[in-house]
């Protein structure tokens, strides 16, 4: 029986099935996610006999760290090896990455939700893999738990109580809304004050624009913030960059965004990777303003492209600033987001490059 990834209710049910009181499940839940104890022998508030039994009948499977790439800016890119899982969607072994990015007073962890991806965005290296497999809730959570444990001397929990902030962004490999149940199970534990206790203000799910997934997410009581990977100012451009746009064109996507129920503190984030000569003209900026005009509360993150193997080029800093200025002057908050960890290929869309070059058998990619 695998314990990692199970909710409090599932752990209670598992304990009852073993003939133990249900509250033991809550103790295991707290130990796993709040205290990050990854060995049942360490959960010392359980009776010794139960610890012995669990060590035989249950397991806590953490992915192995295959490689760590440490950047000059302090970012660490983890390459995790995931063994074959137990059901059809997880039956293949895979590798995925997460990136830990420390900065003053806060830390951000970018995690993957699938190995590979079926969505086929043309600027993304992950797309070239196709979908290898979905990740389980436990595999998604492990990408947060392991870096936090490894860096706990830098920022000790509880982070929020110290006025320090942990941000989680679901922007690594995969389209989170195409692995909905495991992603939401993991998010539920991330956001649970009795679990990992991270504020919903600090967890962001980024989608390529899977409209049924956005509509489904809108119904969830416990949910992260939502970011949309936009990257184009009209359908023609977006069709060419992100073929998913043919299925969910901008009019349909924007309607779903318009109907999305924002909380009082919340805004929708639109990510826009700046591709030189392709989507970075002043006219593009004006079209983005018109596109977003019907939405209530938005912000735009402009992401300078990092040149690599894919056939796109950088926008000049002047172009990016001009684009930002047009948005801001017309009332759309816009920010330029430079990628962290460039020297370890931890920049969006380029995480995989180093690994692809070093080992053709273990390809990993990343998304915007
Ligand atoms: S950008 Fe995201 S959704 Fe698009 S192919 Fe890459 S991983 Fe998939």
């Amino acid at each position: 029986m695998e314990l990692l990834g199970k909710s409090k209710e599932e752990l209670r049910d598992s304990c009852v099935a073993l003939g133990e009181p249900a509250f033991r499940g809550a103790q295991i839940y707290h130990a796993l996610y709040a205290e990050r104890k990854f060995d049942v022998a360490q959960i010392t508030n359980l009776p010794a006999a139960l610890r012995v039994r669990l060590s035989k009948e249950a397991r806590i499977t953490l992915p192995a760290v295959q490689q760590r790439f440490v950047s000059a800016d302090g970012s660490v890119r983890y390459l995790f090896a995931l063994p074959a899982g137990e059901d059809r969607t997880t039956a293949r072994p895979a590798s995925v990455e997460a990136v830990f990015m420390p900065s003053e007073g806060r830390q951000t962890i970018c995690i993957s939700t699938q190995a590979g991806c079926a969505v086929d965005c043309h600027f993304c290296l992950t797309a070239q893999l196709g979908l290898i497999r979905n990740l389980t809730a436990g595999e998604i959570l492990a990408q947060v738990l392991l870096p936090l444990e490894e860096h706990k001397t830098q920022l000790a929990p509880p982070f929020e109580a110290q006025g320090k902030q942990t941000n989680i962004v679901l922007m690594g490999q995969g389209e989170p809304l195409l692995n909905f149940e495991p992603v939401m199970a993991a998010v539920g534990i991330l956001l649970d004050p009795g679990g990992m206790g991270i504020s919903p203000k600090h967890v962001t799910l980024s989608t390529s624009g899977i409209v049924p997934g956005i509509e489904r997410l809108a119904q969830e009581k416990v949910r992260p913030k939502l970011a949309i990977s936009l990257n184009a100012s009209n359908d023609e451009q977006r069709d060419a960059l992100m073929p998913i746009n043919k299925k969910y064109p901008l009019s349909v996507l924007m309607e779903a965004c318009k109907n999305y129920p924002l909380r009082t503190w919340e805004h929708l984030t639109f990510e826009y990777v700046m591709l030189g000569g392709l989507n970075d003209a002043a006219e593009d900026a004006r079209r983005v303003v018109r596109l977003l005009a019907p939405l209530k509360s938005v912000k735009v993150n402009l992401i300078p492209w990092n040149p690599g193997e894919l056939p796109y080029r950088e926008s000049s800093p002047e172009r990016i600033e001009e684009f930002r200025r047009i948005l801001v002057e017309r009332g759309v908050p816009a920010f330029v987001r430079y990628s962290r960890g460039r020297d370890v290929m931890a920049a969006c869309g380029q995480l995989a490059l180093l690994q692809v070059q070093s080992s053709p058998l273990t390809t990993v990619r990343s998304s915007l």
Side-chain angles (χ1 to χ4, degrees):
M1 173 176 59
E2 177 60 58
L3 299 180
L4 188 65
K6 279 197 163 51
S7 67
K8 196 184 290 176
E9 294 67 35
E10 288 169 328
L11 288 169
R12 280 190 182 129
D13 291 348
S14 301
C15 284
V16 170
L18 291 174
E20 296 288 335
F23 74 85
R24 297 288 180 215
Q27 289 178 314
I28 296 170
Y29 181 85
H30 190 266
L32 257 180
Y33 304 122
E35 300 174 55
R36 296 196 298 273
K37 290 183 175 170
F38 304 135
D39 179 349
V40 285
Q42 295 174 338
I43 311 177
T44 47
N45 54 349
L46 297 178
L50 178 57
R51 275 181 271 150
V52 170
R53 188 169 178 201
L54 286 175
S55 66
K56 289 181 191 145
E57 297 181 29
R59 58 186 184 277
I60 299 167
T61 311
L62 290 165
V65 179
Q66 249 179 333
Q67 273 177 291
R68 273 181 200 79
F69 302 94
V70 181
S71 165
D73 68 11
S75 302
V76 182
R77 177 166 77 96
Y78 293 86
L79 181 64
F80 292 113
L82 308 177
E86 288 172 352
D87 63 33
R88 190 177 50 80
T89 63
T90 61
R92 296 170 67 186
S95 298
V96 292
E97 73 267 296
V99 188
F100 175 86
M101 293 164 277
S103 53
E104 196 157 335
R106 70 193 159 108
Q107 51 196 357
T108 301
I109 307 175
C110 175
I111 60 174
S112 299
T113 54
Q114 297 179 306
C117 184
V119 174
D120 198 26
C121 304
H122 291 173
F123 49 75
C124 173
L125 289 165
T126 302
Q128 295 174 14
L129 276 182
L131 177 64
I132 298 171
R133 75 163 171 87
N134 285 329
L135 268 53
T136 64
E139 288 167 342
I140 295 166
L141 287 170
Q143 296 170 64
V144 179
L145 290 164
L146 282 170
L148 284 183
E149 188 57 18
E150 196 166 296
H151 295 89
K152 68 181 174 187
T153 49
Q154 292 183 16
L155 286 184
F159 309 107
E160 309 288 336
Q162 298 171 43
K164 291 170 180 168
Q165 190 176 309
T166 298
N167 300 310
I168 308 297
V169 291
L170 285 72
M171 292 186 188
Q173 285 185 36
E175 165 52 66
L177 296 180
L178 292 181
N179 187 22
F180 197 89
E181 286 85 4
V183 165
M184 292 312 293
V187 163
I189 294 166
L190 284 171
L191 299 184
D192 178 8
M196 296 187 68
I198 299 172
S199 163
K201 295 179 181 174
H202 301 147
V203 179
T204 303
L205 180 154
S206 175
T207 179
S208 58
I210 307 294
V211 168
I214 294 171
E215 291 168 346
R216 201 171 162 194
L217 188 66
Q219 307 300 320
E220 295 284 327
K221 279 203 189 78
V222 175
R223 58 189 157 89
K225 291 194 299 180
L226 180 61
I228 313 281
S229 189
L230 182 63
N231 309 316
S233 67
N234 61 23
D235 278 320
E236 193 187 342
Q237 262 178 16
R238 201 162 190 266
D239 284 353
L241 280 173
M242 304 175 74
I244 194 73
N245 193 66
K246 293 178 186 151
K247 196 165 181 185
Y248 308 114
L250 284 170
S251 57
V252 175
L253 177 59
M254 289 302 134
E255 190 60 23
C257 291
K258 209 167 115 186
N259 295 332
Y260 193 77
L262 293 174
R263 292 157 281 193
T264 48
W265 47 266
E266 193 173 12
H267 49 249
L268 275 178
T269 300
F270 289 85
E271 294 146 13
Y272 196 99
V273 62
M274 302 288 294
L275 301 169
L278 213 152
N279 64 0
D280 62 345
E283 184 49 32
D284 288 306
R286 287 190 280 271
R287 276 200 293 258
V288 168
V289 170
R290 288 198 290 276
L291 205 54
L292 303 185
L295 307 182
K296 275 193 221 86
S297 184
V298 297
K299 78 167 182 182
V300 174
N301 286 337
L302 301 173
I303 304 165
W305 175 252
N306 290 333
E309 286 195 340
L310 294 172
Y312 299 106
R313 60 183 174 81
E314 283 175 291
S315 300
S316 68
E318 296 74 29
R319 230 346 129 82
I320 295 171
E321 181 48 31
E322 167 75 351
F323 200 105
R324 192 194 67 81
R325 190 186 56 75
I326 292 171
L327 264 58
V328 170
E329 282 181 0
R330 286 160 178 78
V332 178
F335 305 88
V336 181
R337 302 285 190 214
Y338 287 92
S339 302
R340 297 280 307 276
R342 280 184 172 211
D343 57 329
V344 290
M345 304 290 187
C348 292
Q350 305 194 342
L351 281 164
L353 212 51
L354 199 60
Q355 181 64 16
V356 171
Q357 285 167 347
S358 62
S359 168
L361 294 176
T362 323
T363 47
V364 291
R365 314 291 162 109
S366 79
S367 65
L368 280 171

